[in-house]
Amino acid sequence: MFNSLSDRLQDTFDKLRGKGRLTEDDINVAMREIRLALLEADVNFRVVKNFVARCKEKCLDSEVLDSLTPAQNVVRIVLDELTTLLGSTDSKLTLAQNRTPNVIMLVGLQGSGKTTAAAKLAYLLKSQGHSPLLAACDTHRPAAADQLATLGGEIGVSVYRGDGRDAVAVATGSIQEAVDHLNDIVIVDTAGRLQIDEEMMEEAVAIKRAVRPDQILMVVDAMTGQDIVNVVTEFANRVDFDGVIMSKLDGDARGGGALSVREVTGKPIKFVSMGEKPESLEVFHPDRMAKRILGMGDVVGIIEQAQKVADEQQIQDAERMLREGFTMDDLLSQMQQIRKMGGLAKIMGMIPGMERAMGQMPSGAMDDSQLTRIEAIIHSMTREERMRPKIINGQRRKRIAVGSGRSIQEVNQLIKQWDEMNKMMSKMKGMMNQGGGKKGRRAMQQMMRNMGGGNLPF
């Protein structure tokens, strides 16, 4: 979403890095470029004005202008201010310890992705060991309850629908349903509303009064743009929400709404939705998002994604690879792990500098269709060929290409990739052996665990 903004900011910093010393005029030019970049990204103009003023004041400090690396100091200042703009520190979901069930109420405009966000939040909480219940309190939109029931069925979370007519009664009934079935969290999905729809706003207030939610989260479409100021202000006045779920952050809009909401409301962004899948809802980390916008990547995020999909069997597989070598089946397993981590494009976008480089690649060069092609080639190999890829000669490559519907060149490229990864595993095996018996082996096993059970970029 932030590709255009990221490119503009990085171009501005590149110009500064070309100068040995910075003058006040250099700073003024850079701030003007940053102002234009933010406005073009649809960030609220008041937010832009305050942000640029803070950055300029700090950049004109004599310690910055007279330092040996003034350009780096400017980048640091912009990074710090951007992190502050996004929220400074992580804001986790707060649940009451002395109340069961906890109640989380979702509000938002029509079409903001609220029902989908409710299901994603339930999936996330379930993965953390909770037992959530979804309450279908959108009694206005046709088939809203059916949509929530379908999403709940996909993730194995129950949905309470009540009589399907009175939203307040459904919300109240869901609390008793949770008590009866030992659910520790109720997620109340309310009807989407318009800012000017007084009746719908009153319904949200009535639901809040009836269930006394522990947390009220507003679902905001990241593509809202400048109008997000009016949207969040109205909801803050009427229902006083605790935080924001930013939906559709994987879209191709300019993303200014995400940069405006924290400064406008003082409410933190708690979660961001980066895709359509249930597991695509992530805890929001302001510092990591700021680094990604400035092209610095999110290596910590990659490690965390790897750790989420790692299990003991994968760690054992990684250790086996070190002992016996890397097979095509192992490569196929890596594909499946990449999919679980959110896909190739997402991972590459978290590597410093890669998001910008990806924008210069041909369309589709880094999407998951690449994984699908590789999987097709591997599935066309015999069992023996997967275990011992070195036996794949020219005749076998031709047969594999025909069987997978791919070209011989693509088969050759895959085998070359396997060979490079096999050499990498051999080097890691050497490191383990040089580490000295059990001590070296323990160190290597811990390294593999930190990598998420052997997820290797290729």
Side-chain angles (χ1 to χ4, degrees):
M1 168 163 281
F2 295 108
N3 288 352
S4 178
L5 173 61
S6 181
D7 288 344
R8 286 288 300 271
L9 293 178
Q10 289 180 63
D11 288 341
T12 300
F13 296 145
D14 287 344
K15 293 174 184 177
L16 293 178
R17 292 187 183 100
K19 299 177 181 292
R21 285 286 188 272
L22 296 183
T23 65
E24 185 173 343
D25 287 341
D26 293 329
I27 297 296
N28 288 333
V29 170
M31 291 301 112
R32 184 166 58 250
E33 290 293 325
I34 291 173
R35 182 187 301 109
L36 291 174
L38 291 170
L39 289 173
E40 287 181 6
D42 221 6
V43 181
N44 179 264
F45 71 95
R46 292 191 185 90
V47 175
V48 174
K49 181 180 178 181
N50 294 335
F51 176 82
V52 173
R54 292 194 299 268
C55 288
K56 183 177 179 180
E57 180 182 359
K58 293 184 178 181
C59 288
L60 289 175
D61 188 279
S62 60
E63 291 184 6
V64 173
L65 295 178
D66 296 337
S67 67
L68 295 176
T69 56
Q72 291 181 12
N73 282 325
V74 172
V75 174
R76 176 183 54 79
I77 289 169
V78 174
L79 174 62
D80 290 344
E81 288 299 323
L82 189 56
T83 302
T84 301
L85 182 66
L86 289 168
S88 297
T89 58
D90 301 346
S91 180
K92 297 181 179 180
L93 189 65
T94 304
L95 299 175
Q97 299 298 318
N98 57 352
R99 181 187 180 188
T100 302
N102 275 251
V103 180
I104 302 171
M105 178 178 169
L106 302 190
V107 298
L109 292 183
Q110 292 177 355
S112 61
K114 189 162 35 51
T115 299
T116 306
K120 291 177 180 179
L121 180 59
Y123 180 89
L124 178 64
L125 292 171
K126 182 181 177 182
S127 69
Q128 294 173 351
H130 294 284
S131 176
L133 172 71
L134 288 163
C137 296
D138 184 353
T139 59
H140 300 272
R141 181 167 62 91
D146 291 337
Q147 179 190 1
L148 191 63
T150 300
L151 293 172
E154 291 176 356
I155 62 175
V157 172
S158 299
V159 177
Y160 179 76
R161 304 177 64 158
D163 63 8
R165 293 190 298 273
D166 185 341
V168 177
V170 174
T172 305
S174 68
I175 306 300
Q176 187 59 50
E177 178 78 4
V179 172
D180 293 342
H181 293 84
L182 302 180
N183 298 105
D184 62 343
I185 295 176
V186 175
I187 300 173
V188 179
D189 176 33
T190 64
R193 57 209 76 238
L194 301 172
Q195 292 168 255
I196 59 175
D197 195 331
E198 182 64 25
E199 181 183 350
M200 299 284 276
M201 291 298 288
E202 282 296 331
E203 181 183 270
V205 174
I207 293 174
K208 175 185 176 181
R209 190 181 302 119
V211 300
R212 295 182 297 110
D214 300 277
Q215 290 271 291
I216 300 177
L217 302 180
M218 181 176 177
V219 181
V220 176
D221 187 337
M223 296 186 281
T224 304
Q226 287 276 341
D227 194 45
I228 198 170
V229 174
N230 299 325
V231 173
V232 296
T233 301
E234 180 67 19
F235 274 90
N237 291 337
R238 299 303 296 272
V239 297
D240 189 27
F241 59 89
D242 300 288
V244 170
I245 296 178
M246 190 67 63
S247 66
K248 307 176 187 178
L249 205 61
D250 57 322
D252 57 1
R254 290 170 287 182
L259 297 178
S260 303
V261 65
R262 177 65 173 78
E263 177 119 337
V264 169
T265 65
K267 308 294 186 181
I269 301 174
K270 290 182 178 286
F271 300 98
V272 291
S273 178
M274 304 292 289
E276 295 297 325
K277 297 179 180 180
E279 62 269 22
S280 63
L281 189 71
E282 303 175 2
V283 174
F284 181 67
H285 301 282
D287 54 338
R288 298 185 196 176
M289 181 60 72
K291 288 179 180 179
R292 290 190 65 179
I293 291 173
L294 297 184
M296 300 176 184
D298 182 11
V299 176
V300 175
I302 295 177
I303 295 173
E304 287 186 350
Q305 290 292 328
Q307 289 174 334
K308 283 182 184 178
V309 300
D311 56 26
E312 191 60 34
Q313 182 58 49
Q314 291 167 344
I315 295 173
Q316 293 175 6
D317 288 344
E319 294 170 355
R320 177 191 52 75
M321 282 187 271
L322 290 174
R323 293 193 308 270
E324 303 173 7
F326 190 72
T327 70
M328 282 292 179
D329 282 331
D330 295 323
L331 183 56
L332 186 61
S333 176
Q334 296 298 315
M335 305 288 168
Q336 294 166 349
Q337 297 309 313
I338 288 173
R339 288 191 187 279
K340 289 181 181 179
M341 291 169 64
L344 192 58
K346 178 178 178 180
I347 296 172
M348 297 303 288
M350 296 167 79
I351 298 175
M354 280 304 301
E355 195 155 17
R356 194 177 191 186
M358 286 168 62
Q360 301 171 357
M361 295 179 181
S363 177
M366 294 302 295
D367 60 27
D368 284 357
S369 63
Q370 299 292 331
L371 302 181
T372 303
R373 295 187 188 106
I374 293 174
E375 288 171 347
I377 294 173
I378 295 176
H379 283 305
S380 295
M381 297 178 182
T382 65
R383 176 66 180 165
E384 186 180 14
E385 288 167 346
R386 290 192 203 182
M387 296 301 296
R388 299 169 54 215
K390 290 185 177 181
I391 68 170
I392 303 178
N393 56 22
Q395 194 70 20
R396 290 175 183 263
R397 295 182 190 209
K398 184 176 180 180
R399 191 206 76 246
I400 293 168
V402 172
S404 62
R406 312 310 309 171
S407 66
I408 294 178
Q409 287 78 11
E410 288 174 297
V411 176
N412 291 339
Q413 184 179 11
L414 174 60
I415 294 174
K416 182 179 179 181
Q417 284 180 325
W418 167 82
D419 189 51
E420 290 173 353
M421 292 189 73
N422 195 41
K423 291 177 181 177
M424 185 186 302
M425 295 304 294
S426 296
K427 290 180 180 178
M428 292 175 69
K429 181 179 180 180
M431 289 169 57
M432 185 178 74
N433 292 334
Q434 290 174 10
K438 292 183 179 179
K439 183 178 179 181
R441 184 166 276 99
R442 281 197 301 269
M444 183 55 64
Q445 288 172 352
Q446 183 60 47
M447 176 181 174
M448 299 307 295
R449 285 186 172 90
N450 292 338
M451 294 174 65
N455 289 289
L456 302 172
F458 58 93

